[in-house]
Amino acid sequence: MDRRYKITLAVFVGVALILLWSDHKSHLLGALPWLILLACPLLHKFMHRGHGNHGRQSDKSDK
């Protein structure tokens, strides 16, 4: 891709995001609490790494 195409695409995306934010701000802010609640299971999975390795790290250190 040439540089002119990237600049044009960036400007277009920027204008689209500004228009979407100004028209749908109340919808997005109204859905924010639900999005936070939906993020909880994902955070739990990634923070605990699936709970698949209970006690196995201590077994490796003993050997």
Side-chain angles (χ1 to χ4, degrees):
M1 281 190 253
D2 64 338
R3 188 170 187 223
R4 199 177 334 167
Y5 176 76
K6 289 180 184 179
I7 292 172
T8 305
L9 184 63
V11 169
F12 178 75
V13 169
V15 169
L17 287 175
I18 290 171
L19 290 174
L20 282 172
W21 176 253
S22 65
D23 288 343
H24 299 286
K25 184 178 3 180
S26 63
H27 302 295
L28 294 173
L29 293 177
L32 189 60
W34 298 109
L35 293 174
I36 292 172
L37 284 174
L38 288 174
C40 286
L42 289 174
L43 288 173
H44 183 80
K45 178 163 178 59
F46 290 120
M47 296 287 280
H48 293 289
R49 298 185 182 176
H51 288 287
N53 296 327
H54 287 286
R56 292 190 184 161
Q57 289 180 349
S58 63
D59 293 340
K60 288 181 183 176
S61 64
D62 292 338
K63 289 182 181 179

